[in-house]
């Protein structure tokens, strides 16, 4: 039986997962000059995860596309619509907080961010698969990307590679995170294995 020495890594931030959220997190952390380790279970060609295979529809509020179509929308209306469908329970403080934040900031944090990365949308704003025939979205908010989710990932990966601090990002493909390391209740690292030979690794970080 082969035995491997554990490989050890150190960074300011460790990101587990190279999907859309992981890619955007890495990009924004590079803006702050952080040393980043991004760990992805899949192979390099699968970078982007399920978002790469998606239709590319994005729920956004108060966009220029909506205004051009004279769709009257605002964050308060969007949040009321969200609540009508979400079935939040009395204890769901953080889900409610996230929904409210999303509705109030989708224009800046999603639309403007994607437009800056040269991602374009079809001229029509659509209804998603819910919201027409029963409680849900009261106005169209579904923005479809030219080129679907594949284009979103393509553009974001190009932006990531062109980032002026790209040298601060290390990516481990074919590596699986299996658990977190904690000290006094705080996560300080991750452990896992290589998908190629099952060799162990660990990574420590501030975040």
């Amino acid at each position: 039986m082969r035995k491997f020495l554990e490989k050890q890594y150190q960074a300011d931030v460790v990101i587990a997962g190279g999907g859309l959220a992981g890619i955007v997190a890495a990009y924004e952390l590079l803006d702050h000059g952080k040393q980043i380790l991004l760990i992805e279970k899949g192979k390099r060609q699968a970078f982007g995860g399920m978002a790469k295979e998606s239709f590319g529809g994005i729920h956004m509020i108060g966009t220029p596309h909506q205004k051009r179509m004279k769709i009257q929308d605002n964050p308060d209306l969007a949040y009321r619509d969200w609540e009508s469908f979400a079935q939040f329970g009395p204890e769901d403080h953080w889900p409610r907080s996230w929904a409210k934040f999303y509705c109030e900031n989708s224009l800046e944090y999603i639309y403007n961010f994607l437009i800056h990365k040269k991602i374009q949308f079809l001229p029509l704003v659509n209804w998603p698969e819910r919201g027409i025939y029963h409680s849900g979205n009261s106005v169209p908010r579904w923005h479809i990307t030219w080129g679907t989710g594949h284009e979103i990932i393509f553009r974001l990966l190009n932006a990531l590679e062109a980032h002026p601090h790209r040298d601060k990002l290390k990516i481990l493909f074919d590596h699986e995170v299996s658990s977190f390391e904690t000290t006094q209740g705080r996560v300080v690292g991750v452990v896992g294995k290589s998908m190629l030979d099952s060799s162990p690794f660990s990574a420590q970080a501030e975040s």
Side-chain angles (χ1 to χ4, degrees), residues 181-189:
E181 291 184 327
T182 60
T183 298
Q184 297 180 338
R186 179 175 176 270
V187 176
V188 295

Side-chain angles (χ1 to χ4, degrees), residues 20 23-24 51-52 54-58 114 117 119-121 143-158:
L20 181 56
I23 292 169
V24 173
K52 198 173 185 178
S54 73
F55 190 60
I58 304 175
L114 295 177
K117 305 301 179 292
I119 293 167
Q120 300 181 2
F121 299 94
H143 298 67
I144 306 299
T145 310
W146 279 105
T148 69
H150 187 278
E151 180 71 4
I152 294 177
I153 296 301
F154 174 77
R155 294 289 182 179
L156 290 180
L157 290 182
N158 282 349

Side-chain angles (χ1 to χ4, degrees), residues 13 15 23-37 159-170:
V13 181
I15 300 173
I23 292 169
V24 173
Y27 185 92
E28 294 194 338
L29 287 164
L30 288 179
D31 283 346
H32 295 278
K34 297 295 184 180
Q35 200 78 35
I36 305 159
L37 175 66
L160 191 63
E161 289 299 325
H163 198 286
H165 294 153
R166 174 61 179 85
D167 62 317
K168 292 181 176 293
L169 170 64
K170 180 177 181 62

